[in-house]
């Protein structure tokens, strides 16, 4: 359940005005980037109905996305599949979150981060919140923007690479995605360090660059 007192309490206790909620999406998919978002909400213009993006319908997410983009300071950052394969998905997720915070129009004074790990090198104090996208307004807003942005990116990629079902599965390992891999093979947008993709490439000869 969303606790609407989290940001007000931080403002009251510490005199903060710019509190960023931070979340990422796309750790589990076999294809596409990992995407993070940082959102500083305007306390006087908070959209109604903010919640964990996974608990909202696509239509409701789209409506809230537009409202958040119009009423808040928002920064989105993508980490590519090449970088995911180079540094691993956890480190790529943390990198995406740090870069999203750094990309805000004005620096955040404090960051509320979904999960239990803090990105290294943050320029502001922070606190992690497990399942924060369902507990904290600003993290919920970040989860919505990150998901809508990444989902739209995967729809666009599906038009260039049809047959994997990315327009509906967002790169996750669904039956349609597996069928596409079996018939069409691996693309440059697949995460070669992920075991299902790695196994396919190894069955084809295990290239040295995998």
């Amino acid at each position: 359940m969303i606790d609407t007192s989290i940001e007000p309490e931080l403002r009251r206790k510490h005199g903060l005005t710019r509190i960023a909620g931070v979340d990422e999406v796309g750790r589990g998919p076999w294809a596409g980037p990992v995407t993070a978002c940082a959102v500083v909400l305007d306390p006087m213009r908070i959209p109604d109905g903010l919640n964990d993006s996974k608990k909202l319908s696509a239509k409701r997410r789209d409506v809230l996305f537009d409202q958040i983009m119009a009423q808040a300071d928002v920064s989105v950052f993508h980490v590519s599949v090449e970088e995911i394969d180079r540094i691993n998905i956890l480190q790529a997720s943390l990198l995406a979150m740090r870069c999203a915070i750094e990309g805000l129009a004005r620096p955040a004074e404090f960051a509320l981060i979904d999960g239990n790990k803090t990105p290294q090198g943050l320029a502001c104090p922070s606190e992690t919140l497990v399942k924060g996208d369902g507990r904290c307004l600003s993290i919920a807003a970040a989860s919505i923007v990150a998901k809508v942005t990444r989902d739209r990116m995967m729809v666009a990629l599906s038009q260039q690479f049809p047959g994997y079902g990315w327009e509906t599965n967002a790169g996750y390992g669904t039956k349609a995605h597996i069928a596409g891999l079996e018939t069409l093979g691996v693309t440059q947008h697949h995460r070669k360090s992920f075991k299902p993709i790695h196994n396919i490439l190894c069955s084809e000869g295990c290239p040295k660059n995998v």
Side-chain angles (χ1 to χ4, degrees):
M1 178 180 290
I2 294 287
D3 180 354
T4 59
S5 70
I6 292 176
E7 290 91 345
E9 280 294 299
L10 284 171
R11 295 188 191 98
R12 184 181 63 82
K13 287 184 179 179
H14 305 289
L16 302 172
T17 59
R18 289 185 56 77
I19 302 168
V22 189
D23 198 9
E24 54 76 26
V25 296
R27 285 182 63 170
W30 298 353
V34 62
T35 299
C37 178
V39 174
V40 177
L41 292 170
D42 180 345
M44 306 304 294
R45 304 175 68 201
I46 297 176
D48 291 332
L50 292 177
N51 204 341
D52 176 358
S53 62
K54 298 182 293 296
K55 297 179 181 178
L56 302 170
S57 67
K59 183 177 180 180
R60 185 61 183 151
R61 283 196 299 267
D62 286 342
V63 170
L64 286 168
F65 173 89
D66 291 340
Q67 293 177 351
I68 296 163
M69 296 300 292
Q71 299 171 6
D73 183 2
V74 179
S75 171
V76 176
F77 193 87
H78 308 282
V79 172
S80 69
V81 293
E82 292 83 6
E83 191 72 355
I84 291 169
D85 288 339
R86 189 179 74 84
I87 64 176
N88 78 45
I89 186 59
L90 173 59
Q91 294 305 316
S93 299
L94 295 172
L95 173 62
M97 288 193 284
R98 177 172 63 80
C99 290
I101 296 169
E102 293 174 351
L104 289 164
R106 290 192 291 125
E109 297 172 326
F110 195 89
L112 292 164
I113 299 169
D114 184 57
N116 61 3
K117 295 187 182 299
T118 303
Q120 293 183 348
L122 292 185
C124 64
S126 65
E127 178 183 345
T128 57
L129 288 176
V130 174
K131 297 184 179 178
D133 47 6
R135 298 169 56 194
C136 170
L137 285 170
S138 56
I139 297 178
S143 79
I144 291 165
V145 173
K147 179 168 177 53
V148 171
T149 301
R150 188 180 184 279
D151 283 355
R152 290 177 179 177
M153 176 181 288
M154 295 308 295
V155 169
L157 283 176
S158 76
Q159 295 171 0
Q160 302 174 44
F161 297 87
Y164 299 93
W166 293 345
E167 68 278 8
T168 55
N169 63 39
Y172 282 88
T174 63
K175 289 182 179 180
H177 196 166
I178 294 169
L181 285 163
E182 290 173 348
T183 57
L184 301 169
V186 175
T187 74
Q188 67 263 42
H189 297 290
H190 281 99
R191 301 174 182 180
K192 297 176 179 63
S193 59
F194 276 39
K195 188 172 182 180
I197 307 303
H198 176 80
N199 288 346
I200 291 171
L201 291 170
C202 280
S203 71
E204 297 172 354
C206 209
K208 293 181 181 180
N209 64 345
V210 172

